[in-house]
Amino acid sequence: MEELQMGASEGRYTVRQPEQARNKRLEETQETRGKGNRERPWEQKRWQPRPRDVDTMEPEGHGLAKMTGCRLWTATSKALFVEFLATGLYVFFGVGSTLHWPLALPTVLQITITFNLATAMAVQITWKTSGAHINPAVTLAFLVGSQISLPRAVAYVAAQLTGATVGAAVLYGVTPGDIRETLGINMVWSNVSTGQAVTVELVLTLQLVLCVFASTDSRQASGSPATMIGISVALGHLIGIYFTGCSMNPARSFGPALIVGKFTLHWTLAQRLAILTGTEETKKLVALEPQKESQSSSEDSIPKSVCQVI
């Protein structure tokens, strides 16, 4: 408007086009930037990156990989530590409830409730950090179900066995010598055969693993699985105590047995294969045949009524 008024006063009219104004401002900006670059040549890298500048991204990539590795290691170490800690506490409280104190002998209900509460406590500790395994059998089930990698499963089992051993050692150290005895190791009752004991342990462990899978599945349950897994362990103890003392957890059996030094009921791989193939029963029969022959000669001289009493 000022140019129009000035043109009108001078007897001429000049109208500047908007495009010409923008082009002029752009040229002024480029000239100013060029002057600045000539005055400060080190700023040319910002406007004209060279191919070698790409090499400077490699340290940043290595830094990102290192940061990711550190985070993974931190998460894994936390998971292993909570598995170690929770399994140790589980063994300490659970096995501690089976000790035979002279003033108050443990009952089946007392042992069941203690294992129930100990399981709920351990699951609540490890639920969000490691997935609440606390049991090599559960870790093996997660590995078979492709829910965990093989290296992580091996590390979990090692942490669980170590935690169970430490928990049993602490319990052994604080318990008087006349009370600790066998330290609550699992024993098969005399009237229960090996096959019956194995079957019962398989069924009890199966229901526990299924309960853990269902309780920790985010699609089926959103809250803490501590209550349901604790109930599953209590259910197993109400039945399994009368057969094998109810293990359902190899770490729970391994820790006290290692501290006491009694592995009579911990089978080796060769023994298990022999039982599965049937060769173990053959060995037992062969070993018993000489005893039967020696007993037959002695029974002839003993009256039949005495034999029946024996």
Side-chain angles (χ1 to χ4, degrees):
M1 294 298 293
E2 294 179 356
E3 292 178 358
L4 289 175
Q5 293 176 0
M6 292 175 63
S9 62
E10 297 176 358
R12 55 185 179 85
Y13 295 89
T14 303
V15 179
R16 180 175 294 178
Q17 300 295 331
E19 295 181 357
Q20 295 177 357
R22 284 198 299 268
N23 293 334
K24 187 175 181 179
R25 286 196 299 269
L26 182 60
E27 291 175 358
E28 293 176 354
T29 304
Q30 292 178 354
E31 291 177 359
T32 305
R33 183 176 298 174
K35 293 179 180 178
N37 290 338
R38 286 193 296 270
E39 295 174 356
R40 295 178 295 178
W42 56 84
E43 293 186 355
Q44 293 180 2
K45 295 181 180 180
R46 299 182 181 178
W47 305 100
Q48 297 177 358
R50 288 171 291 182
R52 65 180 182 181
D53 293 337
V54 181
D55 298 336
T56 59
M57 296 299 294
E58 293 182 359
E60 295 181 1
H62 289 300
L64 181 60
K66 186 177 181 180
M67 185 181 299
T68 305
C70 292
R71 290 180 179 177
L72 290 176
W73 170 251
T74 302
T76 304
S77 60
K78 287 182 179 180
L80 295 178
F81 176 74
V82 296
E83 285 289 329
F84 164 81
L85 178 62
T87 308
L89 293 175
Y90 171 80
V91 171
F92 179 85
F93 287 102
V95 177
S97 66
T98 64
L99 299 178
H100 293 273
W101 294 87
L103 298 179
L105 295 177
T107 62
V108 175
L109 185 60
Q110 174 189 346
I111 297 174
T112 301
I113 294 176
T114 305
F115 271 97
N116 178 12
L117 298 177
T119 302
M121 173 268 301
V123 171
Q124 190 65 30
I125 293 174
T126 60
W127 171 42
K128 293 185 178 180
T129 306
S130 64
H133 289 201
I134 327 165
N135 190 334
V138 175
T139 302
L140 179 61
F142 272 79
L143 177 63
V144 174
S146 299
Q147 301 294 325
I148 189 175
S149 62
L150 179 59
R152 193 179 185 90
V154 173
Y156 271 27
V157 172
Q160 292 159 2
L161 295 179
T162 306
T165 304
V166 173
V170 174
L171 180 63
Y172 186 87
V174 300
T175 305
D178 57 340
I179 304 298
R180 60 174 70 122
E181 294 182 353
T182 58
L183 200 65
I185 61 175
N186 293 106
M187 300 292 293
V188 179
W189 291 85
S190 58
N191 57 347
V192 178
S193 64
T194 303
Q196 292 173 341
V198 172
T199 303
V200 169
E201 283 293 332
L202 288 176
V203 173
L204 298 182
T205 307
L206 176 62
Q207 63 89 20
L208 173 61
V209 170
L210 293 177
C211 183
V212 172
F213 267 104
S215 301
T216 56
D217 189 0
S218 58
R219 296 172 297 179
Q220 299 183 10
S222 57
S224 175
T227 303
M228 296 307 302
I229 297 178
I231 292 175
S232 176
V233 173
L235 176 64
H237 278 79
L238 287 174
I239 299 176
I241 288 178
Y242 299 104
F243 291 88
T244 62
C246 188
S247 172
M248 294 193 303
N249 190 334
R252 176 256 181 272
S253 302
F254 176 81
L258 180 62
I259 298 301
V260 178
K262 294 184 179 180
F263 286 91
T264 55
L265 298 179
H266 289 254
W267 301 340
T268 62
L269 181 60
Q271 291 174 333
R272 295 186 181 185
L273 292 177
I275 292 174
L276 293 176
T277 56
T279 56
E280 182 73 14
E281 298 295 336
T282 305
K283 293 179 181 179
K284 290 181 179 180
L285 292 176
V286 173
L288 289 175
E289 283 180 357
Q291 297 178 1
K292 289 183 179 180
E293 293 178 357
S294 60
Q295 290 177 359
S296 61
S297 60
S298 60
E299 288 177 359
D300 293 339
S301 60
I302 301 176
K304 183 179 295 184
S305 60
V306 178
C307 293
Q308 292 176 354
V309 171
I310 295 176

